[in-house]
Amino acid sequence: GGIEVASLYLRLSHYLDPNTAGGLAALSLGNLLDASGQGDASIAVFESIAPDAPFRALGVLRAALALDRMDKTEEAERAFKEAVAREPDAIQTYISYANMLRGRERFAEAAEIYSKAVERVPAPAKADWSLFYFRGIAYERTKQWDKAEADFRKALELFPDQPLVLNYLGYSLVDMGRSLEEAMAMIRKAVELRPTDGYIVDSLGWAYYRLGRYEEAVTELERAVSLRADDPVIHDHLGDAYWKAGRYLEAQFQWRHARDFGAEGPELERILRKIAERRLIEEQKDAFLGSAPSQALLRFLSRA
């Protein structure tokens, strides 16, 4: 826990010889600075590692991650590309790069980078479930459902009953009207495994809504709101369910909550129309893309 003392010695070592231990001192110092919230300083130290030093590739990767957290996307992308070029078989580098692209909703590019990581996993094991899961999300977002479903099912093969995969695959199937019995079983299992996860409970409630089971939708969405009281999408869903259940004043109340909790873009525009016209306005649904629950989950995953 003596961060200040450790930092002092590492700074002295780095000053006396920037290439101490092949850049290990600089890497350690950069990690300490990054952990203490000194992002710019940590990046400068990571990038000071000599181009021919053994720890250069790892330093560049750490710099890329720090730049990504600071929303310096172009600089982060350059750093990721350098890290990949230096260690083309480092699977985690591809995954971190693809995660950044996915978080920026550049799903086609993310799928391509995830695929390069998959190529380097000769025998996928349980720990690799997230690689297939995240590539599945990228495929689903780019309307390549057959590839997406294959990846989701591969993730479940590696890690049976993984709640995030059960939730995403189950909701997507409900949203498309496919394999409804299996899909609802998946979502219920996800809720059973994570009963306090508001996003997953929201998916169950919204699945009931999509199936026209409005009273059950209200029950689950009320629970989701109690678990994630600050999420505008869940409040919006509950408002819609209230309206379908004939609880019009409560619907207006929830739509106002959704507005006040920071809804943005098209979601905000739709919510404002519902408030202004005092009625439910259902958007024209894309026949393939998942709707708001998936988007809410994506926002959650990009922050995780």
Side-chain angles (χ1 to χ4, degrees):
I3 294 176
E4 294 83 358
V5 177
S7 179
L8 174 64
Y9 280 110
L10 286 168
R11 283 183 183 278
L12 179 59
S13 173
H14 189 249
Y15 172 76
L16 292 171
D17 181 2
N19 293 319
T20 296
L24 178 58
L27 182 69
S28 301
L29 176 59
N31 288 337
L32 276 180
L33 293 170
D34 190 28
S36 61
Q38 301 179 62
D40 287 323
S42 72
I43 291 165
V45 173
F46 289 137
E47 292 181 342
S48 74
I49 300 174
D52 58 348
F55 285 97
R56 172 68 185 187
L58 185 53
V60 171
L61 175 59
R62 297 290 172 80
L65 293 169
L67 288 162
D68 180 31
R69 286 195 297 274
M70 297 167 68
D71 290 324
K72 296 183 177 181
T73 307
E74 290 184 9
E75 296 172 62
E77 190 163 6
R78 285 195 295 270
F80 276 125
K81 287 179 178 178
E82 180 185 339
V84 167
R86 287 182 173 276
E87 292 192 353
D89 292 324
I91 296 171
Q92 189 55 51
T93 302
Y94 290 99
I95 294 173
S96 298
Y97 183 16
N99 285 346
M100 184 196 76
L101 295 170
R102 177 177 53 81
R104 301 295 185 277
E105 299 189 3
R106 293 164 59 180
F107 297 112
E109 296 167 85
E112 182 179 346
I113 302 300
Y114 283 129
S115 293
K116 291 181 179 180
V118 170
E119 291 169 4
R120 288 162 173 78
V121 182
K126 183 176 182 179
D128 299 309
W129 73 269
S130 61
L131 174 56
F132 291 93
Y133 172 55
F134 287 133
R135 188 174 69 167
I137 291 175
Y139 280 144
E140 187 265 342
R141 293 285 102 185
T142 53
K143 301 187 179 184
Q144 300 181 72
W145 174 248
D146 289 342
K147 291 182 178 180
E149 183 175 9
D151 271 354
F152 291 142
R153 293 191 182 279
K154 180 64 176 180
L156 287 176
E157 176 188 324
L158 297 172
F159 190 166
D161 290 343
Q162 211 298 322
L164 292 177
V165 185
L166 288 169
N167 177 64
Y168 206 109
L169 175 57
Y171 180 79
S172 297
L173 290 170
V174 168
D175 209 36
M176 292 183 290
R178 300 182 183 181
S179 306
L180 294 179
E181 184 174 341
E182 178 192 24
M184 289 302 296
M186 286 180 177
I187 300 174
R188 291 192 192 99
K189 183 64 175 179
V191 171
E192 178 185 329
L193 292 167
R194 285 199 177 180
T196 61
D197 188 321
Y199 291 112
I200 292 179
V201 176
D202 170 66
S203 288
L204 177 59
W206 197 241
Y208 281 134
Y209 180 94
R210 302 288 305 164
L211 295 172
R213 296 163 62 174
Y214 301 121
E215 294 297 336
E216 292 166 288
V218 165
T219 298
E220 297 302 332
L221 290 169
E222 285 179 337
R223 186 154 69 97
V225 162
S226 72
L227 294 168
R228 296 289 309 188
D230 60 346
D231 189 272
V233 171
I234 300 176
H235 281 286
D236 186 33
H237 290 167
L238 180 55
D240 289 1
Y242 276 151
W243 182 273
K244 288 289 192 179
R247 297 164 65 172
Y248 305 124
L249 289 177
E250 291 167 284
Q252 284 282 326
F253 184 76
Q254 290 301 324
W255 292 332
R256 285 178 167 80
H257 265 319
R259 174 197 63 193
D260 296 340
F261 277 119
E264 300 175 345
E267 289 176 5
L268 177 59
E269 293 176 11
R270 188 176 65 256
I271 290 165
L272 292 176
R273 285 182 59 203
K274 288 188 285 192
I275 293 171
E277 298 185 26
R278 302 183 65 80
R279 66 181 180 87
L280 176 63
I281 299 171
E282 296 183 286
E283 62 182 332
Q284 183 65 35
K285 183 183 179 301
D286 188 305
F288 180 84
L289 284 179
S291 58
S294 296
Q295 293 168 7
L297 186 58
L298 281 170
R299 289 198 298 272
F300 167 71
L301 291 170
S302 69
R303 293 193 298 264

